[in-house]
Amino acid sequence: KQEVTQIPAALSVPEGENLVLNCSFTDSAIYNLQWFRQDPGKGLTSLLLIQSSQREQTSGRLNASLDKSSGRSTLYIAASQPGDSATYLCAGNNAGNMLTFGGGTRLMVKP
Amino acid sequence: DGGITQSPKYLFRKEGQNVTLSCEQNLNHDAMYWYRQDPGQGLRLIYYSQIVNDFQKGDIAEGYSVSREKKESFPLTVTSAQKNPTAFYLCASSRAGLSGNTIYFGEGSWLTVV
């Protein structure tokens, strides 16, 4: 069964810093991997979706990579801003309609 | 605007009571999902439906029931058999399967047992 782990659970950085969030998964037979943002008490917003045949996806200041062989994905945030403060979750899709979520990384960007 | 609407936002349940959470989408999506999120944790799948009048159990279906009588609606009933129902419930939808499609989430419903 797929297990997804996100480290660290919480991260605090000063504004302007580049940062990397980590996601690891146990089953490399993955269809795709998605990164989401969740603001407190809100639903999830999809940020990036990486198909199994892709190695990375970019959207603005965000870049996500996928390395199936090592069971890892990273989300790179460039020039972080206070508005980036949120919880970031990754999820792997192994079996059609089943997404397995990590526990999330709670990010705080200080002005 | 297109999207997913969950109601109510906050709900309180007494011991032994069944409650129903509503989820409506106007995105014309075939697939709909219910997830549970406990504080500080990721999401766990309760039920999903790929098509009208069909649904499948997820990882934690015990104590929950669903129906899918219309494409746009996927209500979740939390029954008295669910012993620890206090959580944040999220409804989601996607075009079809998740192998190539983005999933969209509602704003969530908070359920508390009193």
Side-chain angles (χ1 to χ4, degrees):
Chain A
K1 183 182 176 183
Q2 178 74 276
E3 293 182 5
V4 179
T5 304
Q6 292 185 248
I7 296 174
L11 180 64
S12 180
V13 301
E15 181 178 5
E17 195 163 290
N18 300 328
L19 58 99
V20 175
L21 306 181
N22 296 298
C23 172
S24 61
F25 47 93
T26 56
D27 186 349
S28 62
I30 199 166
Y31 291 169
N32 60 54
L33 188 131
Q34 298 188 46
W35 282 93
F36 298 88
R37 169 183 173 140
Q38 185 178 30
D39 292 294
K42 301 289 187 180
L44 278 66
T45 300
S46 179
L47 297 173
L48 291 164
L49 184 155
I50 312 175
Q51 300 286 7
S52 62
S53 59
Q54 298 172 324
R55 292 194 62 84
E56 64 179 312
Q57 282 285 342
T58 299
S59 175
R61 293 183 294 108
L62 306 179
N63 176 275
S65 67
L66 175 64
D67 185 341
K68 289 174 58 179
S69 62
S70 67
R72 294 183 61 186
S73 176
T74 60
L75 179 66
Y76 174 83
I77 302 177
S80 59
Q81 303 171 358
D84 295 330
S85 298
T87 296
Y88 292 81
L89 297 105
C90 67
N93 175 223
N94 281 80
N97 286 320
M98 301 289 284
L99 275 179
T100 302
F101 283 83
T105 294
R106 191 170 63 254
L107 173 65
M108 172 72 70
V109 180
K110 297 181 178 179
Chain B
D1 288 348
I4 301 172
T5 302
Q6 290 188 237
S7 63
K9 179 67 175 180
Y10 301 95
L11 185 60
F12 298 91
R13 191 194 94 166
K14 295 181 180 179
E15 294 285 347
Q17 201 176 43
N18 293 353
V19 293
T20 297
L21 306 179
S22 170
C23 178
E24 303 278 332
Q25 55 98 0
N26 60 4
L27 300 169
N28 200 31
H29 286 169
D30 289 308
M32 297 187 74
Y33 315 82
W34 274 106
Y35 289 89
R36 169 181 172 142
Q37 186 177 32
D38 292 283
Q41 298 186 30
L43 281 66
R44 292 182 290 168
L45 182 65
I46 304 173
Y47 269 99
Y48 68 96
S49 168
Q50 293 181 270
I51 197 170
V52 174
N53 292 323
D54 183 64
F55 46 83
Q56 306 294 327
K57 293 182 179 180
D59 294 327
I60 55 166
E62 185 175 353
Y64 299 97
S65 66
V66 293
S67 62
R68 187 84 187 278
E69 297 177 1
K70 299 185 297 182
K71 185 177 184 178
E72 57 271 22
S73 179
F74 191 39
L76 173 74
T77 297
V78 184
T79 75
S80 58
Q82 171 50 241
K83 298 306 179 187
N84 184 24
T86 296
F88 188 48
Y89 290 87
L90 287 157
C91 179
S93 70
S94 67
R95 282 187 179 177
L98 291 172
S99 59
N101 294 300
T102 300
I103 187 170
Y104 296 86
F105 284 84
E107 289 292 286
S109 293
W110 290 92
L111 174 61
T112 303
V113 173
V114 296

